[in-house]
Each structure stands twice: as C-alpha cells, then as structure tokens.
Amino acid sequence: MAAPDQIQSNVEESIKGAEEACAEDPASGECVAAWDEVEELSAAASHARDKQKVSDPLETYCKDNPETDECRTYDN
Amino acid sequence: MAICTPLNSSTYSSIIPQQNHHDAAVSFARRACWRATSSHRPRRGFTVITCASSDAGTVVIGLAADSGCGAAEPPKGGNPDSNTLISDTTTVICLDDYHSLDRTGRKEKGVTALDPKANDFDLMYDQVKALKSGVAVEKPIYNHVTGLLDPAEVIKPPKILVIEGLHPMFDERVRKLLDFSIYLDISNEVKFAWKIQRDMAERGHSLESIKASIEARKPDFDAYIDPQKQYADAVIEVLPTTLIPDDNEGKVLRVRLIMKEGVKFFNPVYLFDEGSTISWIPCGRKLTCSYPGIKFTYGPDTYFGQEVSVLEMDGQFDRLDELIYVESHLSNLSTKFYGEVTQQMLKHADFPGSNNGTGLFQTIVGLKIRDLFEQLVASKAKSPVEAKA
C-alpha cells in the first residue's frame, strides 16, 4: 500500500533530485544532503502509510481493558 | 516538601500505540512509556492532583537511533504536528526538534540532519537541564511533513523524560544530564533489509535508490552517530541470524543486549550464573520450538575498553510458553511479578520485534528504567529535601 499521494510524489521528486545532484558530483554536500532528504521523506511516507491503516476500535479498547466483558476470551 | 499543582485529567493525553514498522527506536520509546507508567490512569472527569517532579527530580533517559521520530498521537486539541509523546509519568521528546537548520537550510548548506552543524546543542542542553530541574520549557517543533521549524510548544517537567533521536549522547553536557542511556545499533545488513521492506512499496524507489540513500548517509552516520555507542549504558545490537544460512531478509534476528557494569541503580540481566559464560538452547525435551529455534548466550566482555555483560538471543518466539520458559530462566529482570516480561510482550504483540530479541530486550530495558527510577526516588527520599520557596 502506497502512502498518500502528496507525500508519495514528494518522495519520488526527492529521489529524482538526489539522482541529479549526484550525477554532477557524487562527493558533494548537495548529493549527500539530497539523499538524506530522501531518507527523511521515505520515513514520513512510511509513517503516513501506517496511520492510514484502519484500526479496529474494539481491538484498541481491549488492549487497555482486557478484563471487561466484551474483551474476555475463552480458550475452551 | 513537594510542590503540588492540581491538574485536570484532560491535560493527560492517552497514548495510542502506533505501528511504525522498522522504527524500532520509536517502538522502544512507546514500550518505555507503557512500562514507565503506573497501571492506574486518571479516570476521565476527575481532577488529579499531581506533584511536580521537584520532589525527586526528573529522571532523564537518552535513546539513540538512526531513525526519525514517529508521528506521535498528539494530545487531544493539541498540535497535530507535535512530535512529543506524553503520558502520566513520561514525556518523550524527539531531538529533531532541536534542528537549527530546516530541510531547506540543510539543502542550501549541503549538510545532512546527522551533521552536528544542523543541530542546536546549546538549546538542547539548556532545555534538558531546565526540565531536569523542574522548570517548564518552550520547545521548538520540527515538522517532518513540511521540513520546517514550527512555533514552540510548552513542555512541562515530567517524572521521566526520554530524549530520543540521533544525538542524545553527542554533546558532553547533555550526556552528563542523562541518568541512563541506550543506543540502538542496527547492523548494515539488517538496516538494508528493513529499509527495503519499508520503501519498496513507495513509487520512485528502487533497490538502487535505497542503497544509494544508505551509502550517502553512511559517512556522516559513522562520524557523528555511531561513536555515541561507547557512552551508552545499554546497547541493543541487531544483527542477522546465525541460525539460517544466507538469510538476508532480516526477519529472523540475532540481538545482543550489551550492559555496562558499574552503572548506578542498574543491575544487568543474567542467565543462570552471573559473571560466567553460558550458551543455552532452551528447545529440547521440556520445550518444543519451531524452526529455526532459539539460542541464548550470556557472558562478560569488554566494549570500548569497558566491562560489560552481554546477553544475546538468536531466533524467534513462536508461542507463549516459549516466552514464559525463557523468562523463568533469566535473572535480575526487575520484574514486579513472575511473567511480567511475557505479559508486556503480549500486550504489544503487534509491535515489530515482539517475537524476537528486539522486543524482549526493549521490554527488559523498559523494566530496568522503571527500577532505576524507583531506586532514584527512594535514594532522594532518604536524603533531606530542601523546601522550595
């Protein structure tokens, strides 16, 4: 599942930018900073993706309150 | 005499554990939040009297890792772009908030976020010092989405302050403020495998771009971040497994918990016999494990010239009884009851690493921090406390 469109296109753009910056001079500060930006945006995209995942309200509630009636589980 | 201020329960935010795959540091910080809080949360609608931490002082924990801070669930009605996690006893600050250069600034100057030049260590020191002595601060916010520095937010001194990020142990003055420090050391192979898992779904990324990104950041990482591990009281080292030949997916892990000896209020965990060297495979007649099994080692060692004890787990847990079996054979866990480690790990079974050494050791370190906090409070209670005007 890909991240929301805006963040996703940011990642794509930053990768293109990094490849361009490094094509000129792979040892330059610009090249390194560009890839660092890619890393930062990729991490942000990953978090956004995780946020999108629908969380079940019952699961969340039962995590904190396993002893309540609706959350009790029986193994046999 | 402690200074107490009545605080409305609405100022407490509930932490909803977020799933941040591969941001192991973040998941640790959240485990630490859960571990450090007491089992009682203020009930809604009640006014809670809370004592400012000036009676025991704030305990400051440093957590170093090469990953951005997770997007926290902010306090209700609070800033949605805040990076700060707040629970009833613990506040986790993301050190990215102390960037002196925002994304554009770093681009212009050609520096990475890893470079000390992009971070304001003076401000970091001043604010951590203030919080530690019971003074609230106005901390800047680094917005990870926009890459800009947002207006400051007020942070009140908590009982436990965790500073998490790239440089918690970089500045010597900040280091001296830390009561305990942890360094999360992910090996290159595992880092690569995790980043592939994280980024391959992203349009624009390829194996080459992921590799290029890691390699471009490596010089700064090796120069500024990695050396911090020599100062850490505990290092969690994550390596590829030795149980599966040629495993490069990074799914089964070998995790080492390197614990410094002689740290005040910190007693390293041990297996069977403290100070001896042990190799242990729990799977056998009493316990059946599935492939590839579990292997433990424990022993004394030296790390950057310092005496340490190392507890290592290779493999993964498949079932509850494997977890409890292992827990029953470990000593000095600082648990309050038998099975507490297992219980905590089950509670966070959806966190990444909950079935291997990363989850196990993060859980144990969380308990150790709680123990350290309680010992510190007890020791300060014994010595005479000055009344604050």
Side-chain angles (χ1 to χ4, degrees):
Chain A
M1 190 199 348
D5 290 328
Q6 178 55 44
I7 300 185
Q8 206 181 44
S9 57
N10 282 345
V11 174
E12 243 187 309
E13 273 169 45
S14 68
I15 295 174
K16 287 203 190 100
E19 284 165 352
E20 278 164 29
C22 296
E24 294 160 31
D25 180 7
S28 66
E30 284 83 37
C31 171
V32 171
W35 281 119
D36 189 40
E37 190 181 330
V38 169
E39 165 59 30
E40 199 191 340
L41 289 168
S42 303
S46 164
H47 294 143
R49 236 178 292 140
D50 290 339
K51 257 189 169 159
Q52 268 189 333
K53 288 194 185 127
V54 180
S55 62
D56 182 355
L58 182 64
E59 286 289 346
T60 320
Y61 174 72
C62 287
K63 253 190 164 176
D64 292 335
N65 309 282
E67 70 290 348
T68 51
D69 283 340
E70 51 268 89
C71 298
R72 296 181 77 111
T73 54
Y74 300 90
D75 285 318
N76 50 0
Chain B
M1 243 297 255
I3 299 164
C4 297
T5 45
L7 282 172
N8 221 317
S9 58
S10 61
T11 56
Y12 290 95
S13 41
S14 55
I15 296 186
I16 298 156
Q18 296 264 330
Q19 298 217 37
N20 278 298
H21 298 288
H22 320 304
D23 266 3
V26 179
S27 77
F28 167 78
R30 294 208 175 89
R31 287 174 201 269
C33 288
W34 286 111
R35 303 298 174 277
T37 52
S38 63
S39 53
H40 301 291
R41 294 244 221 99
R43 277 182 281 160
R44 286 175 225 277
F46 280 68
T47 306
V48 176
I49 309 285
T50 277
C51 294
S53 55
S54 49
D55 49 353
T58 300
V59 172
V60 185
I61 315 284
L63 173 58
D66 177 28
S67 52
C69 310
E73 184 76 18
K76 297 281 178 270
N79 188 342
D81 293 321
S82 166
N83 299 315
T84 313
L85 277 172
I86 302 180
S87 76
D88 17 338
T89 53
T90 309
T91 294
V92 182
I93 285 181
C94 172
L95 291 176
D96 286 353
D97 289 339
Y98 293 111
H99 279 335
S100 50
L101 297 169
D102 63 13
R103 206 179 282 156
T104 324
R106 294 197 298 268
K107 217 167 177 175
E108 279 168 16
K109 294 226 157 86
V111 296
T112 65
L114 308 159
D115 194 319
K117 286 190 279 235
N119 299 282
D120 188 349
F121 290 105
D122 290 334
L123 184 64
M124 191 193 293
Y125 168 63
D126 287 338
Q127 295 207 334
V128 174
K129 186 166 160 215
L131 286 168
K132 188 167 176 143
S133 53
V135 177
V137 298
E138 280 191 26
K139 180 191 61 64
I141 300 178
Y142 177 75
N143 189 317
H144 285 99
V145 178
T146 61
L148 301 167
L149 283 159
D150 286 348
E153 61 179 338
V154 175
I155 305 292
K156 299 200 186 80
K159 292 204 182 98
I160 300 179
L161 175 68
V162 180
I163 57 170
E164 172 202 353
L166 295 165
H167 305 98
M169 283 103 81
F170 183 83
D171 185 286
E172 195 184 344
R173 302 164 297 173
V174 178
R175 254 189 341 252
K176 293 214 168 86
L177 294 171
L178 300 176
D179 293 295
F180 195 73
S181 52
I182 303 135
Y183 185 92
L184 199 50
D185 185 7
I186 319 288
S187 75
N188 294 322
E189 302 96 324
V190 175
K191 200 182 282 193
F192 188 38
W194 283 0
K195 293 210 170 158
I196 291 174
Q197 280 173 42
R198 186 191 73 179
D199 294 336
M200 277 311 256
E202 219 43 62
R203 206 172 56 211
H205 257 306
S206 61
L207 216 60
E208 288 77 32
S209 65
I210 297 173
K211 206 169 174 205
S213 176
I214 295 179
E215 285 182 6
R217 296 171 85 240
K218 200 160 189 304
D220 273 3
F221 182 81
D222 290 341
Y224 306 121
I225 315 299
D226 200 58
Q228 292 177 92
K229 63 191 186 194
Q230 64 186 294
Y231 303 115
D233 298 314
V235 176
I236 299 181
E237 208 183 334
V238 185
L239 305 150
T241 182
T242 57
L243 302 173
I244 304 175
D246 303 321
D247 174 56
N248 55 4
E249 282 188 20
K251 294 232 163 80
V252 181
L253 298 168
R254 175 177 163 225
V255 190
R256 309 178 78 228
L257 177 60
I258 302 168
M259 298 165 281
K260 215 183 257 184
E261 289 289 338
V263 175
K264 206 173 178 192
F265 301 134
F266 174 57
N267 300 310
V269 182
Y270 67 89
L271 190 56
F272 178 56
D273 178 26
E274 202 171 6
S276 59
T277 304
I278 310 278
S279 179
W280 181 47
I281 296 175
C283 318
R285 288 207 197 105
K286 276 203 225 162
L287 185 72
T288 332
C289 311
S290 47
Y291 184 79
I294 304 169
K295 184 170 170 210
F296 274 88
T297 65
Y298 163 75
D301 205 346
T302 48
Y303 187 74
F304 291 98
Q306 294 158 107
E307 294 292 316
V308 296
S309 293
V310 184
L311 176 65
E312 175 182 317
M313 173 179 165
D314 195 350
Q316 49 192 30
F317 297 113
D318 229 4
R319 297 188 322 275
L320 173 63
D321 49 347
E322 291 170 9
L323 248 174
I324 197 84
Y325 191 83
V326 164
E327 180 178 350
S328 64
H329 288 83
L330 289 167
S331 309
N332 252 354
L333 284 170
S334 302
T335 48
K336 293 217 160 127
F337 52 85
Y338 173 71
E340 192 176 10
V341 173
T342 302
Q343 190 198 66
Q344 291 288 14
M345 286 185 71
L346 286 176
K347 207 171 168 186
H348 301 277
D350 53 349
F351 279 16
S354 293
N355 65 341
N356 60 38
T358 58
L360 176 64
F361 295 148
Q362 285 172 21
T363 305
I364 292 174
V365 172
L367 294 172
K368 288 286 167 200
I369 290 173
R370 177 183 71 186
D371 185 35
L372 185 130
F373 172 71
E374 287 170 357
Q375 287 185 65
L376 246 161
V377 168
S379 78
K380 286 196 179 151
K382 282 201 202 109
S383 52
V385 178
E386 286 141 34
K388 293 221 167 143

